[in-house]
Amino acid sequence: MEERPLEQKELQQLIHDIKVKEICGSFDIISKTLLLLKGIISSGKWKHAEELMKILRNYGHILKDALPQETVVANLVRRILKIIREEFDLLQAKVHHLIDDSQATLSLHKLVTQTSECDVSIDYAKPRPGLKEAILDHLQEIENELETSCESICAQAEQHIHSTEVILTLGHSRNAEHFLKKAIEKRQSLTIIIAECAPACRGHNLAASLASKNAEIIVIPDSAIFAMMSRVNKVIIGTHSVLANGGLRAACGAYTVGLAAKHYSVPVIVLAPMYKLAPIHLCSYEQDAFNSLGNAEEILPYDFLAAKSAKIYSPIFDYVPPELVTLFISNTGGHAPSYVYRLLTELYHPDDYEI
């Protein structure tokens, strides 16, 4: 790959900004990454699809190694790689007059019956005029989808939340905040219980944001989740990412919420835009393989006598198995955890699961 000092500098700046928390949240991270990758594609320093895919894989590999917990970055790279494959196949089919221009779309039958033999016969090293323009059009569609994903999820609030219901949520999720605000506008006499999600206690920020005359807002400590669950009608939470088996990498405390909800047969609804679906599995229950650790100072201050001999871990994420999740609500509608595998085949190509 040719040296691209300007793009390399932008890549390093993006990684730095994410690590020092200048760019926070999955939406902002994927939006900035999309802007970077769009610049790489539009620069036109590649001659054919194979070279472009090699460039994107290289950038994706760097981002994945530097930001192992931010799965949305690798998800975006995988999705763009599939778009390149589809557009190349479409242009190749037009050249060989295999299909009419009026029917120049990938049919569901082709997606289902596509074999590895067909994939091997495709030579992505052949230049195809119009490929860059077609890819950039798709990237614009992805950008529009990102901008409207939260709005699309919130539009479904009225279908899932009814008047006088008691809703429990955890911490502070951007999607959950807007979803519950929409529910408060449409439904009367709601009671929203917010677990504070210690030690950061981001639930207090959500409570302040949702403060309204139309709903009763109750903030509880995490230790009271099980005690309050018997009064709850629905659990609504956000998630950091959705794994290939339908499990979650969610805020620490989500597993406690899921177990309590299962005990009382309370449905758990997870708000997850499509860009959070990742074709990865839980590789290990060890914290260093799956999790990341926060600042232990918030749990036990360093100047305490016990801190000298104590070893303290403050995990940021919980793994929630798919059997504890009732329904996913994405910007394309509601899906059961068992349907995640089908969504992954629509978003990503199997050859791109490992970047």
Side-chain angles (χ1 to χ4, degrees):
M1 191 179 74
E2 297 179 1
E3 291 294 330
R4 297 172 173 82
L6 179 59
E7 292 160 4
Q8 290 284 358
K9 185 177 180 181
E10 292 176 353
L11 178 66
Q12 293 171 4
Q13 185 63 42
L14 174 64
I15 294 172
H16 174 269
D17 291 344
I18 294 173
K19 284 190 172 184
V20 300
K21 304 298 182 183
E22 287 188 15
I23 301 176
C24 295
S26 298
F27 176 79
D28 291 335
I29 290 173
I30 196 172
S31 297
K32 295 293 184 180
T33 307
L34 178 60
L35 190 62
L36 173 66
L37 297 180
K38 185 187 287 188
I40 294 170
I41 295 171
S42 60
S43 65
K45 296 178 181 178
W46 47 275
K47 299 178 181 178
H48 43 74
E50 184 177 349
E51 184 180 358
L52 176 59
M53 288 194 289
K54 184 179 179 181
I55 293 171
L56 291 178
R57 280 200 188 93
N58 182 68
Y59 279 95
H61 188 71
I62 294 172
L63 288 167
K64 183 181 177 182
D65 288 348
L67 306 166
Q69 305 297 338
E70 301 298 342
T71 55
V72 293
V73 173
N75 292 344
L76 179 61
V77 175
R78 293 186 185 101
R79 189 167 179 186
I80 295 175
L81 288 173
K82 183 174 183 183
I83 288 172
I84 295 171
R85 294 175 188 272
E86 290 180 345
E87 287 301 325
F88 186 90
D89 294 347
L90 192 59
L91 292 172
Q92 182 172 334
K94 285 183 179 180
V95 169
H96 291 85
H97 304 288
L98 296 178
I99 53 176
D100 297 329
D101 289 344
S102 60
Q103 299 175 342
T105 58
L106 290 175
S107 66
L108 179 62
H109 176 73
K110 179 179 178 182
L111 290 173
V112 174
T113 61
Q114 189 176 26
T115 62
S116 58
E117 183 179 353
C118 295
D119 294 336
V120 172
S121 64
I122 298 175
D123 182 12
Y124 291 104
K126 294 181 179 178
R128 294 294 177 201
L131 180 61
K132 182 171 77 170
E133 290 74 14
I135 294 172
L136 290 176
D137 287 343
H138 270 283
L139 293 186
Q140 186 60 46
E141 292 177 8
I142 292 177
E143 188 174 356
N144 295 337
E145 178 187 327
L146 290 176
E147 292 174 354
T148 60
S149 60
C150 186
E151 183 180 345
S152 300
I153 291 174
C154 293
Q156 304 172 61
E158 199 171 356
Q159 304 172 21
H160 297 279
I161 298 180
H162 306 91
S163 298
T164 72
E165 282 191 332
V166 179
I167 309 297
L168 186 141
T169 188
L170 174 75
H172 186 192
S173 163
R174 173 178 175 269
N175 290 310
E177 177 185 351
H178 290 87
F179 188 87
L180 293 172
K181 281 183 177 179
K182 190 71 173 180
I184 291 172
E185 291 177 6
K186 297 293 183 179
R187 301 301 184 189
Q188 300 295 322
S189 304
L190 290 178
T191 300
I192 300 176
I193 301 173
I194 304 172
E196 63 180 3
C197 198
C201 296
R202 290 179 290 114
H204 293 277
N205 299 330
L206 178 61
S209 177
L210 294 179
S212 169
K213 298 179 180 179
N214 298 330
E216 181 181 2
I217 311 297
I218 303 172
V219 179
I220 62 172
D222 299 339
S223 57
I225 289 174
F226 188 82
M228 297 294 291
M229 189 62 71
S230 61
R231 307 179 184 183
V232 173
N233 298 113
K234 289 184 181 74
V235 171
I236 296 177
I237 59 174
T239 183
H240 182 268
S241 57
V242 180
L243 307 184
N245 65 340
L248 308 178
R249 178 193 276 150
C252 191
Y255 185 50
T256 302
V257 171
L259 289 174
K262 182 179 181 181
H263 181 83
Y264 287 105
S265 300
V266 176
V268 176
I269 298 174
V270 179
L271 309 178
M274 295 295 285
Y275 60 81
K276 291 191 176 184
L277 269 64
I280 58 176
H281 293 268
L282 177 63
C283 57
S284 171
Y285 282 96
E286 296 179 2
Q287 293 299 306
D288 57 352
F290 172 80
N291 219 325
S292 58
L293 300 176
N295 185 5
E297 165 73 16
E298 298 175 341
I299 299 174
L300 184 65
Y302 297 135
D303 55 358
F304 272 39
L305 183 63
K308 296 180 180 180
S309 57
K311 185 176 289 186
I312 302 168
Y313 297 95
S314 177
I316 293 177
F317 300 117
D318 262 353
Y319 171 68
V320 182
E323 55 266 22
L324 298 183
V325 178
T326 307
L327 184 71
F328 288 106
I329 298 181
S330 72
N331 44 302
T332 61
H335 310 286
S338 59
Y339 194 71
V340 169
Y341 79 96
R342 176 60 182 154
L343 297 175
L344 290 175
T345 61
E346 294 176 359
L347 287 173
Y348 315 119
H349 193 279
D351 292 345
D352 301 325
Y353 284 180
E354 292 293 333
I355 297 178

